[in-house]
Amino acid sequence: MAATFEFEEDNGAASGSPAKGTTRTAARTDVNWKNIDDSTTTYSSNPITAGNNSYQKNTFGHFSGTFNQILSGLFAHTATAFGTGLTLKGVAAASTGAGPYTYVTPSTTADSNLTTDMTSAIAIGSGVAVWFGATGPEATGKAASMTTNPCYSNWLTTQLQTTSSAAAGDTAQVTLTLQYAEN
Amino acid sequence: MTTRQIFCANEQKITTHTLEVEPMNGEILATCPCGRFLKFPSDVTKESFDELVAAHQASNEGQVSLEATEKLVATLGDDPEPAADNADKA
């Protein structure tokens, strides 16, 4: 038997302590950076004007099913280049129980708490460390390995930032990878 | 023109970034000569800007892009066979 995994996404105003989104949507299969804070509206209906930024995408992993331990998490942009005028920012490496990111009400303002430049594709082995929490990505007491079932990765928040030189139309479809080990 | 020494994640070194205001949303835009850029909120102070620049470097030093690795691999192959010298066959 193995762990069951799915990506999930929070949207809406920050609520609670520690903060999380008002809405949590399960079973997300893609991340579309757009000019609206939700996980369902078609991105082409809410395009980002060149020079502006997307709303943050507050994605995370949810582990359930059967497992002894989830550990060795890594997160990175692993395939396909972005075009000119596009920068993808993401969370820093996890290193504390409360970190590496605190949920804020999404906006199109450049999020200075997203310090990792994920614009270039890199090998997943060079990705940022991901820790796991027992009650959600917002949980305190996150650690590099977790035996609690279910458990959650830390926030894997990203934001697409653009300049006026960004080309019109869709960006390239890129791959973001969350790698983990289980036993 | 205002410039600032900032670490570029693409170049993996500190480069001279041009600082300007993004005309669309008024944010602070720092652009490396390679084309990679950073954006900062318009309400930063000098002190907070310095902290953000330092945090950016700490988060991105050591990145090796797949593109850079592929370029390296292209240089590691065997040297090509030298072209035949037709004068030797005369």
Side-chain angles (χ1 to χ4, degrees), chain A residues 30-108:
Chain A
D30 51 41
V31 172
N32 287 306
W33 298 285
K34 52 193 179 182
N35 190 31
I36 188 170
D37 174 34
D38 71 18
S39 65
T40 53
T41 301
T42 305
Y43 64 85
S44 56
S45 300
N46 293 90
I48 305 162
T49 302
N52 285 339
N53 312 310
S54 75
Y55 282 83
Q56 295 95 326
K57 300 300 290 185
N58 290 286
T59 312
F60 58 95
H62 176 193
F63 303 84
S64 59
T66 303
F67 60 83
N68 292 316
Q69 188 182 35
I70 304 294
L71 68 164
S72 304
L74 294 169
F75 179 59
H77 165 200
T78 55
T80 312
F82 283 102
T84 301
L86 302 173
T87 283
L88 183 66
K89 300 299 294 290
V91 294
S95 61
T96 66
Y101 183 77
T102 300
Y103 186 94
V104 295
T105 301
S107 75
T108 59

Side-chain angles (χ1 to χ4, degrees), chain A residues 4-179:
Chain A
T4 299
F5 174 85
E6 68 176 20
F7 282 113
E8 299 186 358
E9 179 177 324
D10 271 22
N11 302 98
S15 67
S17 179
K20 62 182 181 181
T22 308
T23 304
R24 180 158 291 178
T25 307
R28 307 313 305 153
T29 57
D30 51 41
V31 172
N32 287 306
W33 298 285
K34 52 193 179 182
N35 190 31
I36 188 170
D37 174 34
D38 71 18
S39 65
T40 53
T41 301
T42 305
Y43 64 85
S44 56
S45 300
N46 293 90
I48 305 162
T49 302
N52 285 339
N53 312 310
S54 75
Y55 282 83
Q56 295 95 326
K57 300 300 290 185
N58 290 286
T59 312
F60 58 95
H62 176 193
F63 303 84
S64 59
T66 303
F67 60 83
N68 292 316
Q69 188 182 35
I70 304 294
L71 68 164
S72 304
L74 294 169
F75 179 59
H77 165 200
T78 55
T80 312
F82 283 102
T84 301
L86 302 173
T87 283
L88 183 66
K89 300 299 294 290
V91 294
S95 61
T96 66
Y101 183 77
T102 300
Y103 186 94
V104 295
T105 301
S107 75
T108 59
T109 301
D111 188 341
S112 55
N113 292 308
L114 299 175
T115 58
T116 298
D117 188 328
M118 298 180 69
T119 309
S120 293
I122 64 174
I124 186 59
S126 299
V128 296
V130 174
W131 283 16
F132 306 96
T135 56
E138 73 280 8
T140 57
K142 288 192 285 288
S145 65
M146 184 64 54
T147 58
T148 305
N149 188 348
C151 67
Y152 305 80
S153 76
N154 57 241
W155 296 109
L156 306 174
T157 304
T158 56
Q159 182 183 46
L160 188 66
Q161 299 175 355
T162 83
T163 68
S164 56
S165 62
D170 291 3
T171 69
Q173 183 171 297
V174 304
T175 301
L176 304 185
T177 299
L178 169 63
Q179 177 178 276

Side-chain angles (χ1 to χ4, degrees), chain B residues 47-62:
Chain B
E47 185 179 60
S48 66
F49 183 77
D50 291 345
E51 291 173 356
L52 291 174
V53 167
H56 166 77
Q57 180 167 352
S59 285
N60 293 289
E61 266 184 316

